[in-house]
Amino acid sequence: MKKFLTLAIHFPTYCGLLKNILKLKLHNVRLGNHVRIKGQFGIKNRGGVFVIGDHFVCTSGSMDNPMGRNIRSFFCVKQGACLTIGNNVGISSSVLRCARKITIGNQVTIGANTIITDTDAHSLNPAQRAGHTNLGAVSRPVTIKDNVFIGTSCIILKGVTIGENSVIGAGSVVTRNIPDNEIWAGNPAKFIRRL
């Protein structure tokens, strides 16, 4: 009876995980081994390349991580863009918007409600913006190297490289490159100390 109750309790979770894997595959995501997304998430892959490495965990919403509240994770890969997530990466209720190239290394932890984008999404020219197109939007690659920890509610903007082992404090807006082995925090993010 105890085994049956355990299976009954975990069955909805198992079905949700399986449904999420199928959703990723339907959007042409190349998956490594042991990929788990808990909760509902959004995805748009419009002809880009989206690769997820081994042992990826994403919690989406408040079910497994209360820091995520009811915000779901969202992955957007534009046509011709490339979003690559390495091995042993954990993400909570975050948005990754890739118009050109986002590369996330191995052993990276991304806190709840973080936004990583490689594009302005809209032109700075008001006449181009008025046309409701992405014409004139600037995009530059984002690279997050191995063993980086990004705190909750951060924004990582286009053209940024975050060096190995570095830490980004909660609520930071990262607008420029961060060297290896440093802690940065604030808006805009500034150097705090070496690790």
Side-chain angles (χ1 to χ4, degrees):
M1 182 68 170
K2 188 175 180 180
K3 280 186 179 181
F4 175 76
L5 287 174
T6 302
L7 286 171
I9 290 168
H10 292 292
F11 186 71
T13 302
Y14 175 76
C15 288
L17 292 171
L18 186 59
K19 182 176 106 180
N20 287 341
I21 292 298
L22 291 173
K23 187 174 181 180
L24 289 170
K25 288 187 175 186
L26 284 172
H27 284 87
N28 298 316
V29 180
R30 294 185 212 155
L31 300 175
N33 297 312
H34 308 290
V35 171
R36 293 181 298 147
I37 297 184
K38 302 172 185 177
Q40 294 185 350
F41 70 99
I43 182 169
K44 286 184 184 175
N45 185 358
R46 297 183 169 151
V49 175
F50 186 1
V51 179
I52 297 175
D54 297 336
H55 303 284
F56 173 76
V57 177
C58 175
T59 58
S60 188
S62 61
M63 292 300 288
D64 292 290
N65 182 354
M67 294 292 288
R69 297 171 294 173
N70 289 321
I71 298 168
R72 61 186 185 144
S73 293
F74 197 93
F75 306 99
C76 181
V77 185
K78 300 290 187 179
Q79 185 172 5
C82 182
L83 171 57
T84 304
I85 299 174
N87 299 323
N88 302 302
V89 172
I91 295 176
S92 295
S93 299
S94 293
V95 173
L96 278 64
R97 184 173 190 195
C98 181
R100 184 171 173 188
K101 186 173 187 179
I102 296 175
T103 305
I104 297 172
N106 301 316
Q107 279 83 36
V108 173
T109 302
I110 299 171
N113 307 317
T114 290
I115 297 171
I116 300 172
T117 181
D118 66 351
T119 180
D120 288 337
H122 300 285
S123 173
L124 299 181
N125 180 323
Q128 289 177 326
R129 266 197 323 273
H132 301 289
T133 68
N134 292 337
L135 183 67
V138 177
S139 298
R140 289 198 304 268
V142 170
T143 302
I144 299 170
K145 294 188 177 178
D146 295 347
N147 305 309
V148 168
F149 172 50
I150 298 171
T152 187
S153 301
C154 290
I155 301 173
I156 313 298
L157 296 175
K158 70 180 187 302
V160 165
T161 295
I162 300 175
E164 288 186 15
N165 309 314
S166 288
V167 176
I168 310 302
S172 297
V173 178
V174 180
T175 60
R176 59 186 174 146
N177 293 343
I178 295 175
D180 297 348
N181 305 304
E182 292 188 358
I183 299 174
W184 284 54
N187 180 7
K190 295 179 180 171
F191 173 75
I192 303 298
R193 67 177 175 87
R194 294 273 303 161
L195 287 171

